[in-house]
Amino acid sequence: VQLVESGGGLVQAGGSLRLSCAASGFPFALYGMYWVRQAPGKGLEWVATISSQGTDTAYVDPVKGRFAISRDNSQNTLYLQMSSLKSEDTALYYCAIDQAGKSRGQGTQVTVSS
């Protein structure tokens, strides 16, 4: 399993970012996928889930209405569109094949300045 995240960066509060995750080494289209994050000094937090075919999604309450998870199975790529970013969204963001984040990529840093 290889997961490579990209798209993070420094953004002002209220701004937007789109994260990508390139997946390889497993049948991507058969797996539900997850985004998890780790804020400074805190543990891993589940952020969003998408079903294998992209028909079902779920979000942690603090990001509902602001984040959107999607996927392109033809490109083995997972996305997270983040809008109306807040300082509390600052974290290292990982894509993962399990909700606990045990099998995840190296992460991409998102820093939101207030």
Side-chain angles (χ1 to χ4, degrees):
V1 172
Q2 185 171 16
L3 300 166
V4 180
E5 302 91 341
S6 62
L10 174 64
V11 63
Q12 288 188 332
S16 298
L17 282 174
R18 189 193 197 200
L19 306 184
S20 299
C21 171
S24 60
F26 67 103
F28 180 75
L30 299 183
Y31 277 73
M33 293 295 296
Y34 304 81
W35 285 99
V36 298
R37 66 185 179 184
Q38 187 167 25
K42 297 188 177 181
L44 282 173
E45 176 187 38
W46 166 73
V47 175
T49 301
I50 188 166
S51 60
S52 60
Q53 297 304 305
T55 54
D56 297 296
T57 60
Y59 302 90
V60 68
D61 283 347
V63 310
K64 284 181 180 177
R66 300 189 298 119
F67 289 13
I69 188 172
S70 62
R71 64 192 297 161
D72 183 344
N73 286 347
S74 69
Q75 298 293 322
N76 284 6
T77 303
L78 178 71
Y79 301 101
L80 185 68
Q81 178 68 49
M82 306 186 296
S83 303
S84 301
L85 283 161
K86 305 176 180 180
S87 57
E88 51 263 44
D89 295 318
T90 294
L92 191 56
Y93 283 73
Y94 302 92
C95 63
I97 62 171
D98 63 285
Q99 188 168 352
K102 291 182 179 180
S103 185
R104 63 185 187 269
Q106 85 292 344
T108 187
Q109 179 67 42
V110 172
T111 302
V112 183
S113 64
S114 56

